[in-house]
Each structure stands twice: as C-alpha cells, then as structure tokens.
C-alpha cells in the first residue's frame, strides 16, 4: 500500500476517533444542559400558572379556557389539571410529532424530562394540582443541527489535513522514491549512488547506502583489476594481446570433449613469413606494433571467436562457421592483404593462412598436426597464400542450403523437436537446472544443434528455433513441477527487438511458478558485443521470474562494462579455463573469476568437467556448481 493511501487512512481514522469522542462529549453535555433548562422551564411555568389559577374564580370552564389558551402557544407537549384526589379534571396533549432527525439519533439522545408540578390554592384550601411538560422536539432538532455542524467542521478539517499532508508528502516523495530505487538496485546487485535529500532521516539513510555502494563498487573494481592482471600475465601474449598456446590447447580439448556442442567451428593457422627478416628490416618495436595490428584485424573479422599465438610467427584462429571454411579463409586473407601491408609496393601481406572445419578431425593433436602439414604445403607452393580442408559433413544428406532451411522449418512447424538434457550439479549435490540441448527430426533422423545451427544461422532462422525450444520447455515445466531447465539463446534473438516482444508476450501467458524454473543463457561474447540490448532485455525477463545467466565466460569478462548492471544470476566458466584448473596459473585466474562473481552474489559454474575425479578439486577452488560429461 502506498504511503499516500496510508496517510489518508490514518487521517480518516484520527478524524473519526476525534469526531466520535467530541460527538459524545459535546452531544451529551448539550443534552444535559438543555434537559436542565427544560426541567427548570417546566417547574417555572407550572408554578406561574398555578399562582394565576389560584387567584381566579374556580370556575371549571374558565380554567379550561385559560389552560387551552396557554397550550395553544405551542411550547407545551402536555398540560393536565388534577383534583385533590389525583384524578385528571382536564388535560391537553399533542400526539407524537415527526422530528427532522434520524431515528438512531433520536433513540440515542432522546429527552426524558420530568413534568413541572405545582399546587393550586382556593383560599386556604388546596384546589388541585397542575402538571406541565414543555415541548422537547425543538431541542432535539437543535441538538441534531449542532451535531451536523460539528461533523461538517471535522470533515473540512480532515480534508484540509489530508490535502496539506499530501502536499508535504509529495515534497518528500521524490527522495523516498530515490531511496526505494537505490534499495532495489542493491537487491539486484546494481551499485548506484543517489543524491542526498534535505530530509534529515532520509539524508542519513541515503548517505549510509551510498557508503555501502561505494565500498562494494571499490571491491568490485579491485577484483576486476586483479583479474585483468592475472589474465594478462597467464592467459595473454604480452606483445599482441592474443591468447597464449595453453589457452588454445585447452579450448580444443574442451571442444572435442563436448559431445553435444551447439555448432561446428572452423579453425585456422596463420603464419607470418620471414618474421626474423622483418625484425631485422623494421626493428623489434615496429614489428611488434605491426603484429598487434595484425591480431586486431583478425579479431575484428566477422565470425572470429578468438585468436591465440602459438609461437613467434604462428597464430591459431577459431571462428564460427558463418560461411564455409574456404569462403572464410579467402575473406580473411583479403582483409589482411588490404589492412596489414608492410611494404606498400607489394599487394600482399607476409602471411600464409590454412584452415579446416573441426568436423574433419577428431582430436586436438590431429587438428594441430593437420594444420602444420597444410602450412608446409602452402609454403612450398608460392605465391599461394591459403589452403583449406573441409570434408563433407556426415549428416549433409540434403541437396543444398535451401533444402536444409525447408527441412528445418517443416520440422519446427510439425513439432518434431525435442531436447536432450545435461545436469548442472550444485555443491550439495542438488540440481541447479538441466541444460536443454536442441534435437530436430529431419528425414526420420534426430540431429543435434551442431548439425543444424549453421544452416539456420545462414538463413536467420535461429530465433524461431529459440522460440520453439522455449515453447517446448514451458510445456515440460508445466507438466513436471520439479523440473528446472536452461536454454541457450542465439545472437539473432538477442539482437532483434521484435523477437524480444514475441518472447516476452509468450512468457507473460505462463504462470510465474513455471517461469521461475526456466533459465535463459547468453554467450559472454554476445553480451560484450550487444551489451545495451542485453541490459534492456534481461530486466524484462527477470521481471517475469526467469533466471538469466552467461555461459562460456572467462576470456573477456573484463570487457563487460559495469558488470553489476547486467542483473544476471549466474556465470558458467568456459571449459578452456576449467580444464587447466590444476595448473597454478589457471587456478589463480579461476580464483579471481570466482571471487569477482561472488562479490556480485553470482553463482559460479564450471563447464566441461570431464572426470568425476575433478569434482572435489573444483569445489575446493570455489565453484558453486559443475556441468559436463563427468557429471552424472
């Protein structure tokens, strides 16, 4: 209930109590006063009439005429004359009259006044007794009018107090709202500061909250700086800023350990030819600048996931299969030839590039040896700069990409979709949720996400797959109350506002209890790339009770500005770091990541856990949950 409503209720209650007490005190005092006056009037009038009658001739007709004339004045309700024996000689009275006042008021404050009685003398003898009752209706009407005036006065006072209270409260509503917003932001792990209001109590409260926010923000900044230093020291090449060889090897190991990968990637090896000669010609400093420029050009190319430096002249590149490996290789070579020329008289950069699709190999060792062999072949056949190996995919049974799109669309429309789940286990053995991986039935064969998403992405169909998966997950959650599911969201869904609206409209039709058991996950690199869209989309999801998390985290977490403003609930650390947790360098980086996440009260989950033997070590390192082939 709002403060304004509470204020009005308090004013109404206070006014009612004040009016009630004033009514009873004032009404009963006025009634008693009027009753006393009427009683005195009865006695005085009865005595005066008795004196008058005592001096008159005791003719009954004359006496009746006099009493009648007195009664007709309208001030009396009853006049009676009794003889010595107490019998009524003559009597004048009015029947009960309609009083202009409510019945409850009449019953509550009705006058009960004794009649005035006086003796009539006839000389020295007693002639009789006169009884006189004054009219009380006028007093009752007057009392009712006084009560109405009192109620009206209290109502006007109440309205005035409420209006004045509302005006005063409106003046402090802004700082109150500011305090509420600040408190909600702290509850959502967002560290903002507020201007201190003029109100003394609120000023102290806001100042305390600002101090708390400042301390937490300082801690967060320190953790990010330490993590950035650790990553630069242990994960990155100091010259180019690319990842080192260990990270590349770990990424490949995690890729091949993941039997249900979301998509197939392409990898490339780039060699700088005659690096020693370039160093001698241009100098070490100039060469280092050029190498850094080369890595930046590669990283900015569409589809490149990461770049790793294997040795002085060799670089390893991982890219999503946006196009074919051959097309990607040609585009990358052309871009480097246009942006990274050392000698303006030449048309090509001093680089060689070879690539292959990872579905053409089965292990890390085979990948690296195959790329090395291809580089040797290119070096021995100048002026060729590139070579690719892209074996036909075993599931590539359809004629072309258009046929794939048609088959995927038909499978979604006919609800030939399912999910395979993998558990995310917390430290206490309970499940945080289960990761739901896409399965689509095409030509009576269930295909995985890695076999489908490349084609779906080519024709911008991934958001439809996301909606279909969420629809299916909601049905499963509604049918099984103990189930909790997590679904990975594609780049197209994150970057398309119309899909945001469609998804939120769908989720708004679902009970909150169901939404609270659904988690939506976004790749870290997508959030970095589209942070503003994510910051606007994530709160709308959380308002519906949905958990939001980042997956494949670690290698660029410091590139996210104002991490606390994302409003996420958990992080899933990339297997490329997790698999090396036993090395001192990787352990320090992981400890920094975990400490940073725990500062924001985030749950931290290790991806790609291969062996059950690693569970204890990862828990000791500080992970809250684990997922991967080694988790049953």
């Amino acid at each position: 209930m709002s403060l304004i409503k509470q204020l009005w209720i308090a004013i109404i209650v206070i006014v009612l109590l004040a009016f009630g007490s004033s009514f009873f005190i004032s009404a009963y005092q006025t009634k008693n006063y009027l009753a006393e006056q009427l009683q005195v009037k009865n006695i005085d009038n009865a005595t005066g009439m008795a004196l008058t009658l005592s001096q008159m001739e005791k003719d009954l007709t004359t006496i009746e005429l006099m009493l009648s004339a007195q009664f007709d004045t309208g001030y009396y309700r009853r006049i009676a004359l009794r003889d010595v024996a107490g019998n009524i000689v003559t009597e004048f009275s009015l029947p009960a009259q309609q009083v202009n006042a409510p019945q409850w008021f009449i019953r509550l404050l009705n006058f009960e006044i004794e009649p005035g009685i006086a003796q009539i003398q006839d000389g020295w003898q007693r002639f009789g007794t006169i009884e006189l009752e004054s009219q009380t209706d006028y007093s009752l009407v007057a009392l009712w009018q006084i009560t109405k005036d009192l109620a009206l006065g209290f109502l006007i006072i109440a309205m005035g107090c409420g209006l004045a209270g509302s005006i005063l409260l409106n003046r402090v509503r802004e700082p109150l709202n500011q305090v509420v917003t600040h408190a909600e932001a702290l509850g959502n792990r967002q560290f903002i500061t507020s201007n201190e209001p003029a109100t003394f109590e609120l000023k102290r409260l806001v100042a305390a909250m600002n101090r708390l926010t400042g301390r937490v923000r300082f801690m967060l900044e320190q953790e990010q700086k330490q993590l950035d230093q650790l990553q630069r020291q242990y994960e990155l090449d100091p010259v180019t800023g690319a990842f080192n060889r260990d990270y590349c090897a770990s990424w490949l190991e995690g890729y091949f350990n993941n039997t249900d990968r979301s998509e197939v990637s392409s990898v490339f090896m780039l060699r700088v030819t005659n690096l020693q000669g370039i160093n001698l010609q241009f100098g070490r400093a100039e060469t280092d600048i050029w190498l850094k420029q080369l890595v930046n050009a590669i990283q900015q190319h569409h589809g490149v996931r990461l770049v790793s430096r294997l040795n002085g002249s060799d670089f390893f590149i991982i890219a999503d299969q946006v196009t074919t490996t051959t097309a990607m290789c040609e585009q990358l070579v052309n871009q480097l030839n246009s942006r990274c020329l050392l000698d303006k008289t030449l048309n090509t950069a001093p680089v060689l590039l070879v690539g292959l699709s990872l579905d053409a190999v089965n292990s890390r060792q085979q990948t690296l040896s195959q790329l090395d062999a291809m580089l040797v072949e290119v070096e021995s056949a100048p002026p060729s700069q590139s070579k690719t190996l892209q074996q036909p995919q075993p599931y590539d049974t359809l004629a072309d990409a258009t046929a794939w799109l048609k088959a995927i669309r038909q499978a979604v429309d006919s609800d030939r979709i399912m999910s395979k789940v993998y558990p995310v286990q917390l430290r206490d053995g309970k499940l945080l949720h289960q990761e739901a991986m896409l399965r689509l039935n095409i030509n009576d064969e269930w295909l995985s996400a890695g076999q489908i998403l490349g084609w779906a992405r080519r024709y911008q169909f991934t958001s439809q797959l996301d909606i279909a998966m969420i629809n299916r997950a909601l049905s499963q959650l509604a049918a099984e109350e103990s189930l909790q599911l997590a679904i990975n969201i594609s780049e197209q869904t994150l970057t398309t506002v119309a899909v945001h609206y469609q998804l939120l409209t769908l989720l708004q039709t679902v009970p909150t209890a169901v939404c609270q058991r659904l988690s939506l996950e976004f790749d870290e690199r997508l959030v970095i790339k589209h942070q503003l869209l994510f910051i606007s989309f994530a709160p709308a999801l959380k308002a519906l009770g949905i958990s939001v998390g980042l997956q494949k985290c670690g290698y660029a977490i410091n590139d996210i500005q104002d991490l606390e403003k994302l409003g996420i609930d958990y992080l899933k650390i990339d297997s490329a770091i997790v698999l090396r947790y036993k090395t001192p360098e990787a352990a320090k980086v992981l400890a920094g990541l975990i400490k940073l996440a725990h500062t924001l009260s985030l749950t931290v989950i290790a991806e790609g856990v291969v062996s059950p033997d690693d569970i204890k070590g990862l828990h000791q390192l500080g992970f809250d949950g684990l997922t991967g082939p080694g988790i049953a």
Side-chain angles (χ1 to χ4, degrees), residues 161-216:
C161 291
L163 183 60
S166 297
I167 293 172
L168 291 174
L169 193 57
N170 283 331
R171 294 182 61 184
V172 298
R173 176 179 284 184
E174 183 176 351
L176 279 174
N177 290 336
Q178 185 177 335
V179 170
V180 171
T181 302
H182 198 155
E184 290 176 345
L186 286 174
N188 293 328
R189 301 183 293 275
Q190 298 175 0
F191 307 111
I192 63 174
T193 56
S194 303
N195 296 326
E196 295 182 6
T199 307
F200 178 72
E201 291 78 7
L202 293 179
K203 183 176 182 179
R204 293 179 59 195
L205 175 60
V206 172
M209 295 172 70
N210 283 340
R211 286 195 297 271
L212 174 62
T213 298
R215 293 193 192 101
V216 177

Side-chain angles (χ1 to χ4, degrees), residues 601-627:
S601 301
L602 302 179
T603 302
V604 192
I605 300 160
E607 291 183 327
V609 180
V610 179
S611 171
D613 298 334
D614 295 327
I615 294 176
K616 182 177 180 181
L618 290 170
H619 281 164
Q620 288 177 343
L621 198 58
F623 280 103
D624 303 304
L626 311 173
T627 183

